[in-house]
Amino acid sequence: MPEVVIAGTGLIPAGEHWELSLRSQATRALLAAKKDAGGLEPQALYIGNFLASTVSHQSNLGALLTDWSNHRGIEGFTVEAAEASGGGAFRMGYLAVASGLVDVAAVVGVEKVTDVVGPGLENAIAEGMDYDFEAAQGLTLAGQAALVMRRYMHTYRVPRQVFAGFPVLAHENAVGNPHAMFRRPISLKAYEEAAMVCDPLGLFDMAPYADGAAAVILTRPELARATAGRALVRVSGSAVVIDTLALHDRPDPLAFDAARISVQRACRQAGITPQDVDFFELTDSFSIYAALSLEAAGFAPLGKGWELLQDGTLRRDGKLPIQTMGGFKARGNPLGASGVYQIVEAARQLRGEAGACQVAGAKRALVQNLAGPASTAVTHVLERWEPKG
Amino acid sequence: MEVPRHWRIRQQRYSLVGEVCPHCEAKIFPPRDVCPECGGEAKTRFDFSGRGEVFSFAVMHDAPAGYEKTTPYTVALVKLEEGPVVTAQLTDLGEQPVEIGMPVEMVTRKIREDEEERGVILYGYKFRPVLK
Amino acid sequence: MMANRVMKPARAVGIVGYGAYVPRYRLPAKYISRLWEGSESGGPVKEKAVAGLDEDVVTMSIEAARNALARGQIHAEVLRAVWVGSESHPYAVKPSSTIVAEAIGAGPSIQAGDWQFACKAGTEALVAAIGLVGSGMADYAMAIGMDTAQGRPGDQLEYTAASGGAAYILGPAEHSLAVIQGSYSFVTDTPDFWRRAGQRYPEHGQRFTGEPAYFRHITEAARALMEEMGTTAADYRYAVFHQPNTKFPQRAGQLLGFQEEQLRPGLLSPVIGNTYAGAALIGLTAVLDVAQPGDRVLVVSFGSGAGSDAFDIAVTAALPEKRDLAPRTADYIARRTEIDYATYARFRGKLAE
Ligand SMILES: [Zn+2]
């Protein structure tokens, strides 16, 4: 099977882009990635997007974005897996190049949440859950996370403050990230005093929904070396695993089985154990999910994920840095694009181009993009590519 | 308006009509084409008692469109006596504090009203503290 | 005068199951008088029951109907009619009764319809159900009287217009917990209270609602029935009259020769208000909750517009073992959360205009 490398990355800052359309956001990120890859021409465009058909009343993004970015004549279509759409699109690009059928694949994750104002956005996002049996009961994605959080607090007898460290760390790590939505640290006090969104889930337990677009160019190393004037990043493990869509159908809603199994499969493919990675870009769309992701990946025993916050393990200079450029919480959560942001951020770390956010000596990353409470889990292992010989 | 999709599952919504698997006896809600326990075809009707207990709950302060009228409202995971867990609102709480493990019973209530006062009224299961 | 005024079915009919429903919330009258009259003098009732934000005539009817089925120990499939009487059906066009029937598992081989006759819509459905079973066309039929009554903010009706009601399953007398011995209805065109199509709140004839409307129809119906049955007030252990407030049913009782203790168990308006189409019927559920085999009950409804249905009911030996198969009326009344006027205004959609 051919090796697959990331030859270029591009993104626009996550945030509220009132003046930018869905198509402009995606085109800018895509062209930036292409430029970064030395102008490699993609033969396929895989788009990660969650909400366009509802929020922007736009389907067929494959045609729209392939056309709009001036790539008519190639293949292009959308991969939709709710908030894991970006990770899913990246997986699709990886499969295409690894199959040998596509030489150069472009992957763009794009989300446009500000096309709608008012509570309609919550309804659109809630469509990522079981519409008939979760969303129809008035549940939102945040509400679903709150149900998990309450159960966690009950099962392990911990107060909600144990989760405060995740947003505090995210904001601290985002200070030096120019594409982050929030670049100011927050205090524990601010966490405690913040309004409740869905009690027990407070404002800082939830990453803000944002507009955004991020893109990568995938190819084989021999094709990339000729054009990219910089280090390459190799995709050494890739796995997607599905759990029940509805939270209520899980025997144990704290188990995050899909997250656990996808880590195992991706690491097995890469020939490593999770302990061999230098940092972990996890899904902190909700602080509780960060804790459960750490537990599912095997970095902490059940009920102890939050304890890793206490000894500095998760800090940028710790043993297992997470949210290295601010995570979903401080960079912003452009939903279906987030998975591609994670890949871009990890790739820049591995290339040594993360600037003020750089994790020293980072050679290998674990990147995990979840939809909801790990209903879909997309996990990748990325490594700095060292040419053989 | 999305009348047909709600109409189709009205019995499930109004009164927790589910299924019992003819192969492994698993009680199933909502009804599925395939039994989640044994993979066999599931289609035998089973009426759930509506009794259960709170497994987890969250108080919704930010409601999606169509649900704003009742904010803040409580959504819970309710573990039914017969096994399955359902997502549903708790109602008639008064000033009663909610706790995990609290016994609750199913009632049929208004879940949502579409298009202000012009659309159809969506009725469905909610749960309340056991009356007596 | 017409002979054989009393209506008796061809085959004996009785109440096979009954169920009450009262919502959890209570608005004390003093909060209304404080707002509109600047005093806490209160009003014609102590407090009234208010439906929650997610309740309406359909949801309340479903719960009462489930209680009736539980007491009847029959499956909803045997019902051949599900009829809901109300002046506050959630839809102007689209029956409440089809939703109720579907939710309780009745149908599709049923009659279903919504009855409208102000506060006697429920007893009108009850008479029809007696007729359906009594004629032999059906073995079981359900009649419900339920309301989420509304008064214009500041109107005198606001003190009393309340939410609640009851459901009854009529069936063969031999399977019943109380037998319908006879009924009589007295109806004239008397416009004492009305709500025009498209209007949110009703209008009423102030004092005209008293003598020519309520008292005349109640007493005429009761007297004719008692005359035909050969009874006097003393023959009844209990009496229930439509209860728009506390005083009217008490005065009607006096006019007909009843003592206060005959009325007391069924007189719920002081604590739940006027539940309109549900008022007489929930008075009867409260009586059945305490009655003993052999007790005789007189029930007289009143609906504006105007008319009264009177029933002579005799409790059978089956009642004591049935009544605890569902919550009693008193259980619902005891489940009480007090609300203030602002919460009430929100619950009843009075902020929407
Ligand atoms: Zn089975």
Side-chain angles (χ1 to χ4, degrees):
Chain A
M1 198 168 68
E3 275 214 74
V4 180
V5 293
I6 297 169
T9 67
L11 51 68
I12 64 168
E16 293 178 323
H17 296 304
W18 302 108
E19 73 294 351
L20 281 183
S21 64
L22 174 91
R23 62 187 81 187
S24 291
Q25 288 184 192
T27 300
R28 289 180 190 197
L30 176 58
L31 295 183
K34 202 173 147 184
K35 188 175 170 205
D36 189 48
L40 271 181
E41 281 298 332
Q43 296 154 358
L45 174 60
Y46 303 112
I47 298 146
N49 174 266
F50 175 17
L51 300 173
S53 63
T54 332
V55 168
S56 307
H57 308 299
Q58 182 65 62
S59 297
N60 205 359
L61 297 187
L64 175 76
L65 301 180
T66 304
D67 172 19
W68 214 253
S69 64
N70 250 13
H71 290 96
R72 289 173 296 279
I74 69 167
E75 82 175 69
F77 53 82
T78 305
V79 174
E80 188 274 306
E83 314 98 279
S85 300
F90 182 76
R91 160 82 172 172
M92 191 61 224
Y94 166 75
L95 291 177
V97 176
S99 74
L101 294 173
V102 171
D103 292 333
V104 180
V107 175
V108 61
V110 60
E111 204 65 80
K112 187 70 205 162
V113 298
T114 58
D115 272 357
V116 66
V117 289
L121 180 64
E122 285 293 352
N123 298 62
I125 295 169
E127 290 180 10
M129 302 187 291
D130 185 326
Y131 184 80
D132 283 336
F133 296 99
E134 290 184 307
Q137 305 296 329
L139 190 66
T140 59
L141 203 64
Q144 195 185 39
L147 290 171
V148 178
M149 186 173 170
R150 172 96 61 193
R151 189 69 202 174
Y152 188 101
M153 289 160 58
H154 173 83
T155 304
Y156 302 119
R157 308 201 174 286
V158 293
R160 61 181 293 273
Q161 284 78 5
V162 302
F163 301 102
F166 291 109
V168 168
L169 177 64
H171 278 252
E172 193 179 297
N173 284 353
V175 169
N177 176 3
H179 66 260
M181 196 167 170
F182 299 112
R183 298 173 61 188
R184 290 169 53 165
I186 58 164
S187 64
L188 184 61
K189 187 160 172 283
Y191 175 89
E192 284 175 348
E193 289 174 357
M196 282 292 161
V197 178
C198 312
D199 194 354
L201 188 134
L203 193 62
F204 288 119
D205 289 307
M206 176 180 179
Y209 301 135
D211 295 332
V216 295
I217 305 294
L218 290 166
T219 188
R220 297 195 295 276
E222 62 274 22
L223 295 174
R225 285 179 78 182
T227 55
R230 56 200 351 147
L232 299 175
V233 171
R234 168 177 173 250
V235 184
S236 57
S238 174
V240 180
V241 177
I242 300 296
D243 201 340
T244 66
L245 173 60
L247 179 67
H248 55 234
D249 285 333
R250 310 261 173 96
D252 177 6
L254 304 180
F256 271 35
D257 282 337
R260 175 174 57 81
I261 297 165
S262 68
V263 167
Q264 287 168 355
R265 287 188 189 158
C267 287
R268 191 182 312 138
Q269 186 191 347
I272 61 161
T273 69
Q275 277 65 35
D276 296 329
V277 305
D278 297 314
F279 65 101
F280 181 18
E281 288 297 338
L282 49 70
T283 296
D284 60 328
S285 50
F286 301 100
S287 57
I288 173 67
Y289 292 172
L292 289 173
S293 298
L294 287 166
E295 295 169 19
F299 293 119
L302 297 181
K304 307 280 190 195
W306 57 275
E307 285 189 9
L308 296 175
L309 288 161
Q310 294 178 326
D311 61 4
T313 300
L314 304 177
R315 295 174 60 93
R316 198 182 283 131
D317 56 1
K319 264 175 59 190
L320 183 72
I322 63 168
Q323 302 151 300
T324 64
M325 301 185 75
F328 289 46
K329 174 67 195 78
R331 172 237 300 134
N333 181 8
L335 297 157
S338 291
V340 185
Y341 272 89
Q342 289 180 295
I343 296 285
V344 170
E345 288 163 354
R348 291 184 179 179
Q349 289 283 7
L350 296 169
R351 296 196 317 205
E353 295 170 1
C357 298
Q358 186 63 47
V359 174
K363 292 251 167 36
R364 186 182 289 131
L366 185 65
V367 184
Q368 186 175 64
N369 185 199
L370 305 179
S375 301
T376 301
V378 184
T379 304
H380 285 96
V381 178
L382 303 183
E383 295 175 8
R384 188 182 169 95
W385 188 73
E386 311 286 356
K388 295 184 192 92
Chain B
M1 263 208 262
E2 39 184 42
V3 174
R5 72 175 299 159
H6 297 304
W7 166 81
R8 196 175 297 129
I9 57 170
R10 63 197 181 280
Q11 291 188 332
Q12 305 167 23
R13 281 261 177 74
Y14 291 171
S15 48
L16 287 176
V17 175
E19 288 170 334
V20 57
C21 175
H23 314 289
C24 76
E25 301 286 296
K27 309 293 195 301
I28 305 164
F29 189 88
R32 291 180 172 227
D33 298 300
V34 177
C35 171
E37 300 296 328
C38 74
E41 193 185 354
K43 59 187 172 190
T44 312
R45 176 184 166 130
F46 178 81
D47 294 358
F48 283 83
S49 67
R51 288 184 295 271
E53 62 172 54
V54 173
F55 185 80
S56 190
F57 65 99
V59 183
M60 305 290 299
H61 295 277
D62 284 352
Y67 300 84
E68 307 97 324
K69 269 190 193 170
T70 54
T71 51
Y73 56 87
T74 302
V75 179
L77 295 174
V78 173
K79 185 162 178 52
L80 301 174
E81 204 172 69
E82 296 88 349
V85 177
V86 297
T87 299
Q89 286 189 29
L90 300 183
T91 188
D92 282 4
L93 292 170
E95 278 136 33
Q96 208 160 327
V98 183
E99 281 171 14
I100 289 177
M102 182 171 97
V104 290
E105 60 191 3
M106 189 269 284
V107 290
T108 308
R109 293 294 170 88
K110 283 194 285 186
I111 293 182
R112 195 177 83 193
E113 288 181 60
D114 286 345
E115 299 158 59
E116 301 300 315
E117 293 191 349
R118 292 192 301 116
V120 295
I121 304 166
L122 193 59
Y123 296 97
Y125 52 81
K126 293 190 181 182
F127 289 79
R128 72 165 174 219
V130 173
L131 187 73
K132 62 170 289 202
Chain C
M1 192 176 289
M2 164 183 199
N4 298 323
R5 286 174 296 173
V6 68
M7 296 193 287
K8 289 188 178 181
R11 76 158 162 172
V13 177
I15 296 167
V16 172
Y18 69 93
Y21 184 74
V22 181
R24 176 166 196 157
Y25 304 97
R26 301 286 180 277
L27 178 67
K30 64 182 181 194
Y31 292 159
I32 304 174
S33 62
R34 184 194 292 166
L35 183 72
W36 300 116
E37 294 167 24
S39 79
E40 295 203 354
S41 58
V45 297
K46 185 171 146 277
E47 59 186 18
K48 66 172 188 172
V50 179
L53 278 164
D54 58 1
E55 296 187 282
D56 63 16
V57 162
V58 167
T59 68
M60 292 163 49
S61 295
I62 290 168
E63 180 151 353
R66 285 180 177 145
N67 287 338
L69 286 167
R71 285 204 176 88
Q73 295 174 293
I74 59 167
H75 195 278
E77 278 169 5
V78 304
L79 296 175
R80 295 306 301 268
V82 175
W83 285 325
V84 181
S86 181
E87 65 125 72
S88 41
H89 292 289
Y91 289 95
V93 178
K94 155 102 189 77
S96 302
S97 49
T98 54
I99 311 171
V100 175
E102 189 88 46
I104 63 173
S109 304
I110 50 165
Q111 302 306 118
D114 293 353
W115 298 74
Q116 188 269 105
F117 192 147
C119 296
K120 93 170 186 80
T123 52
E124 187 75 32
L126 190 66
V127 173
I130 293 167
L132 197 73
V133 176
S135 70
M137 287 173 71
D139 281 338
Y140 297 96
M142 179 177 276
I144 300 171
M146 193 66 68
D147 257 308
T148 55
Q150 291 254 44
R152 188 187 308 283
D155 190 307
Q156 190 69 14
L157 289 177
E158 208 174 25
Y159 285 105
T160 54
S163 302
Y168 289 85
I169 300 169
L170 283 301
E174 59 271 26
H175 299 144
S176 70
L177 50 83
V179 175
I180 309 287
Q181 311 210 92
S183 73
Y184 172 71
S185 296
F186 182 87
V187 172
T188 71
D189 175 13
T190 304
D192 59 313
F193 171 104
W194 62 91
R195 176 162 64 83
R196 293 283 301 272
Q199 293 298 304
R200 191 174 178 86
Y201 297 114
E203 304 295 328
H204 54 89
Q206 309 288 348
R207 288 179 52 76
F208 183 61
T209 60
E211 288 305 330
Y214 179 87
F215 290 107
R216 175 166 181 235
H217 291 81
I218 293 252
T219 56
E220 291 280 358
R223 281 192 183 116
L225 181 64
M226 289 198 287
E227 210 168 282
E228 296 282 334
M229 301 301 293
T231 54
T232 65
D235 293 313
Y236 298 94
R237 177 77 190 275
Y238 303 108
V240 177
F241 301 106
H242 174 57
Q243 29 194 320
N245 50 38
T246 309
K247 282 185 189 146
F248 274 31
Q250 285 174 333
R251 170 109 182 97
Q254 277 170 5
L255 291 171
L256 293 163
F258 286 88
Q259 304 299 311
E260 206 189 326
E261 58 268 24
Q262 289 169 286
L263 268 61
R264 196 177 297 125
L267 186 57
L268 306 181
S269 55
V271 287
I272 65 168
N274 178 8
T275 55
Y276 285 53
L281 292 177
I282 197 170
L284 178 58
T285 65
V287 166
L288 293 174
D289 284 343
V290 298
Q292 292 304 318
D295 286 348
R296 209 159 166 178
V297 187
L298 179 74
V299 179
V300 191
S301 67
F302 170 74
S304 292
S308 284
D309 301 317
F311 304 86
D312 183 321
I313 297 166
V315 173
T316 74
L319 176 61
E321 69 201 37
K322 297 268 193 186
R323 66 180 144 223
D324 286 323
L325 297 175
R328 294 189 191 201
T329 316
D331 295 327
Y332 283 106
I333 293 173
R335 183 185 71 141
R336 173 187 181 277
T337 297
E338 187 174 308
I339 57 172
D340 58 15
Y341 193 88
T343 307
Y344 167 70
R346 180 181 180 218
F347 277 14
R348 299 311 305 146
K350 288 173 190 267
L351 303 174
E353 291 130 82

